[in-house]
Amino acid sequence: ANKLGKMVSLQMDGSKIELDRTILDAISDPLLHILRNCVDHGIENPSERKSLNKSESGNIKLSAYHVGEQIAIKVEDDGKGIDLQRVKDKAIENGIITQEEAKDLSDEKTIELLGTPGLSTAKTVTDISGRGVGMDVVKRNIDALRGSVEITSQKGVGTTITLKLPLTLA
């Protein structure tokens, strides 16, 4: 956040949740990538947030809780949300979908495209995020743990990414 000139508040909830060490080790990089994406792509700079009648400081909430026999880890930001048209445009540009397919693509299916290898909507490559090896690696790592990734986003309101994981790999 400092490097990007942004102000961000991180709130964490669910510290009493216990995870298998193997799962914890396997999700640390994906979680870091998600958090970096929130700061780099989601949270606007202070002046932009102010012009949108938002607080100058962006908010990210990381929470963990039980869902039946699974653990859910939710990362929410109050940033700009995912630019669905940009995702479609990049997918067309990369030959993942056609112009015709893009017209009929639902918001949910458009968001699923973010799990496609090499698809990045970043305007520039940075050391924070935006190297095109992001959400597809997150999805692949979580799938390998027999978990799932769910992404919801609302333009101008923010994005929520929920990881659902087994309690243990045993």
Side-chain angles (χ1 to χ4, degrees):
N2 289 338
K3 195 173 194 178
L4 295 169
K6 297 179 180 183
M7 296 188 304
V8 178
S9 169
L10 175 64
Q11 178 188 348
M12 293 191 286
D13 185 28
S15 60
K16 296 193 184 340
I17 299 294
E18 293 184 13
L19 271 177
D20 185 297
R21 170 55 72 188
T22 311
I23 292 176
L24 194 56
D25 290 344
I27 65 166
S28 63
D29 284 345
L31 264 179
L32 182 60
H33 184 81
I34 291 168
L35 290 168
R36 286 173 176 254
N37 268 358
C38 289
V39 175
D40 198 11
H41 300 301
I43 303 294
E44 308 91 343
N45 65 46
S47 60
E48 187 179 349
R49 288 183 64 83
K50 197 171 183 178
S51 72
L52 296 168
N53 291 322
K54 293 182 176 183
S55 66
E56 288 186 8
S57 178
N59 297 293
I60 299 173
K61 182 178 180 185
L62 173 65
S63 53
Y65 51 94
H66 287 275
V67 178
E69 294 295 313
Q70 293 184 310
I71 295 289
I73 299 174
K74 184 186 286 188
V75 180
E76 303 168 88
D77 73 52
D78 68 345
K80 60 183 130 195
I82 296 169
D83 184 340
L84 298 177
Q85 188 57 53
R86 185 157 175 76
V87 172
K88 287 180 183 180
D89 292 346
K90 283 295 198 173
I92 292 167
E93 185 181 310
N94 291 2
I96 297 164
I97 59 171
T98 65
Q99 192 87 40
E100 281 303 309
E101 290 169 326
K103 288 179 188 172
D104 298 327
L105 215 53
S106 68
D107 290 354
E108 292 79 20
K109 291 290 183 192
T110 301
I111 288 173
E112 283 179 22
L113 289 172
L114 293 173
T116 307
L119 181 67
S120 176
T121 58
K123 290 180 174 73
T124 57
V125 173
T126 69
D127 60 347
I128 309 291
S129 68
R131 296 177 298 276
V133 293
M135 288 311 295
D136 65 310
V137 173
V138 169
K139 185 168 175 12
R140 190 169 51 243
N141 287 359
I142 300 305
D143 286 348
L145 296 170
R146 296 187 315 270
S148 64
V149 179
E150 180 185 306
I151 304 171
T152 58
S153 186
Q154 190 174 349
K155 189 172 181 145
V157 177
T159 300
T160 300
I161 299 175
T162 306
L163 310 177
K164 288 188 181 166
L165 304 157
L167 291 170
T168 180
L169 290 178

